[in-house]
């Protein structure tokens, strides 16, 4: 049985809600929470996916019900709560 949780097209919550402290091409200081990554294309897909320039943090994010919920708004809320809970 396949237990993979598919990434929802047009969501990009994981590329918007969390802060990323490592450099991203086009965002050398990283990005603050709630700001969309500049590497998102018009379809809200990562231009760096699978590329060595993609931040290691991004590769650690795995879609799943606890992170993605059932829709983008829920994913944004879940990830924003996680961001707050893990803030220094």
């Amino acid at each position: 049985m396949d237990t993979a949780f598919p990434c929802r097209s047009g969501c990009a919550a994981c590329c918007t809600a969390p802060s990323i402290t490592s450099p991203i091409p086009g965002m050398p200081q990283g990005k603050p929470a709630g700001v969309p990554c500049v590497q998102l294309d018009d379809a809200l897909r990562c231009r760096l996916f699978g590329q060595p320039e993609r931040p290691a943090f991004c590769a650690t994010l795995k879609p799943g019900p606890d992170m993605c919920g059932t829709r983008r708004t829920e994913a944004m809320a879940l990830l924003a709560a996680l961001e707050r809970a893990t803030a220094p």
Side-chain angles (χ1 to χ4, degrees), residues 1-6 63-65:
M1 180 166 130
D2 183 15
T3 59
F5 191 92

Side-chain angles (χ1 to χ4, degrees), residues 33-84:
V35 174
C37 179
V38 298
Q39 293 301 327
L40 286 171
D41 65 16
D42 291 339
L44 297 179
R45 294 293 199 177
C46 178
R47 291 183 183 99
L48 300 177
F49 192 85
Q51 302 299 313
E53 301 85 8
R54 185 176 180 218
F57 169 79
C58 299
T60 68
L61 297 172
K62 305 293 183 215
D66 57 336
M67 183 174 83
C68 303
T70 59
R71 60 190 166 283
R72 184 180 195 277
T73 54
E74 190 176 352
M76 288 292 291
L78 289 167
L79 289 167
L82 183 60
E83 178 74 24
R84 286 188 303 276

